[in-house]
Amino acid sequence: MNQNGIQVNESFCNTEKKPSSIKKCKIISCKYIVITVDTSQCPARCYLDHAQKMTFCVEASGAWNNRGSGLQSVVYQDCPLLPSQLLKECNVRTCLYAAMWQVGKWNKCSVLCGTGIQERRVECRTENSSSSDLCILHLKPQARRICHAADCEPLTSCKEIQMNKNIRKDGEYLLTVKGRMIKIYCSDMKLQNPKEYLTLVKGQEDNFAEVYGYRLQNPYECPFNGNRQKGCTCRNDYPAAGYTVFRKIRLDLNSLEIKTTDFRFAHTILGKPVPFATAGDCYSAAKCPQGQFGINLAGTGLRLSTTAKWIAQGNY
C-alpha cells in the first residue's frame, strides 16, 4: 500500500521484507458443528411472527459439502449447546438457505490514464436473494482493485488531442497544465483551432456576474445601511444592467488567463451579458455599491491567483 492506503504494484516494496501470507496450522477434529440461523430468512410456512436467532448442532462429517436443506440436526445431549426453543415451531431444514457472496460488474477505472482504482458491488445473499450475514468473511471477494488505463502522454492543449489522438469530439479531457493534470473541456474539436474551457464544478449559483439595474431617486443617499432592499425609492432603468451565470469559462492554457467576455457556456438571465468576474451599478453617488459577482473554482484543480486584481471604474 502507498501512504494514502491505496494498493500499488508489489515491485514498489522490498520483497525480502514481505511478511508470510500462509502458515501451517493444526485443528483438532470436531464431531459437531454449531450453526446459527436468522429466522428472518425463513419462508412463510415456518409460522414465525418475528425475527430471532436459532442455534442447533449438525454432524461435522460432510457438513461443509451439504446445502442448507440437507443438514440434519443431532441429539443435543451429544452437543455442548442448549437447543433453541424455536426449533419446535420452525422446520429448520426448510428455513436454511445456502448463503453465498454475489458480485457485480467492475465499474470504470477511476482515472482516464495511468493507475487508478476499480470498484464493484459485493453482497452476501441467500438462495432466494435475501440479504444475509451468514457468508464466510475470509471468502469474501475483493470489492476494489488496481486498474491501469492508457499511458498518460503529456498533452497540453485540445489541439494536441485533436492531432495526436485523432479525436474530433467535444468533451472533457485530461491535459497537462503547468505540470499538473487538469480536466479541460475541449470545444470546436471539428474545427482547425479548438478552444479550451474549464467546467465550473460548483455551477451557476456560485459563478455569476451582475450589473444592478435599480437606481435611487436621490443618488446622494445610502439607505438601509448599504443593504439591498426591494422597497427602495428607486427606478429600474439602468441601460447597462444584466445578470449572467456561467457553467464553463474559457482559459488561455499558456498564461492561465480567463477570457471573461466569452459567453459560449454562459446564460444571461436578464438584461445584457455581464463579463465573468465583473459587477457594477448606477445605484448611488454615495458609497453604496450594489452590483455583485461570484467565483468558485472548487473541484476544478485550479484556484484564483493571489496576484489577481480588479479594475475599478467610476465612483466606488
Side-chain angles (χ1 to χ4, degrees), residues 99-120:
M100 63 190 72
W101 293 109
Q102 294 184 3
V103 297
K105 293 182 178 180
W106 290 106
N107 61 12
K108 292 183 179 180
C109 196
S110 60
V111 296
L112 297 178
C113 68
T115 302
I117 295 293
Q118 276 183 301
E119 296 182 332
R120 66 178 176 179

Side-chain angles (χ1 to χ4, degrees), residues 209-217 228-230 232-243 270-272 274 279-284 289-292:
E210 177 198 47
V211 173
Y212 194 55
Y214 284 85
R215 297 195 289 171
L216 288 170
Q217 297 284 12
R228 182 184 295 189
Q229 299 284 344
K230 292 183 178 179
C232 65
T233 306
C234 299
R235 59 184 185 273
N236 185 12
D237 61 353
Y238 187 35
Y243 192 98
L270 57 88
K272 296 183 177 180
V274 183
D281 61 47
C282 192
Y283 184 71
S284 173
Q290 296 295 316
Q292 300 177 358

Side-chain angles (χ1 to χ4, degrees), residues 9-33:
N9 192 285
E10 287 193 9
S11 62
F12 289 102
C13 293
N14 185 346
T15 55
E16 295 180 356
K17 296 183 179 181
K18 181 179 180 180
S20 175
S21 59
I22 54 175
K23 69 176 183 179
K24 293 182 179 180
C25 59
K26 185 177 181 180
I27 300 178
I28 300 175
S29 59
C30 50
K31 188 176 182 180
Y32 305 108
I33 296 172

Side-chain angles (χ1 to χ4, degrees), residues 3 17 19 27 42 71-72 129 132 154 167 171 186 194-195 218 260 272 279 306-307:
Q3 60 185 5
K17 296 183 179 181
I27 300 178
C42 291
L71 297 176
Q72 299 292 331
S129 297
S132 173
I167 294 176
C186 294
K195 301 180 180 66
N218 180 1
T260 59
K272 296 183 177 180
T306 55
T307 61

Side-chain angles (χ1 to χ4, degrees), residues 157-210:
S157 69
C158 294
K159 182 70 173 178
E160 289 185 9
I161 290 181
Q162 186 189 63
M163 301 299 293
N164 297 359
K165 297 290 187 179
N166 196 27
I167 294 176
R168 297 291 187 272
K169 183 179 179 181
D170 291 4
E172 301 276 357
Y173 298 96
L174 279 177
L175 294 180
T176 302
V177 181
K178 304 295 184 182
R180 182 177 296 181
M181 298 294 288
I182 300 292
K183 190 178 289 187
I184 296 294
Y185 184 88
C186 294
S187 179
D188 297 331
M189 290 291 281
K190 293 182 180 180
L191 302 180
Q192 186 175 359
N193 294 306
K195 301 180 180 66
E196 289 93 8
Y197 290 84
L198 184 69
T199 299
L200 300 169
V201 178
K202 291 300 181 179
Q204 301 177 162
E205 291 185 1
D206 287 355
N207 293 279
F208 64 91
E210 177 198 47

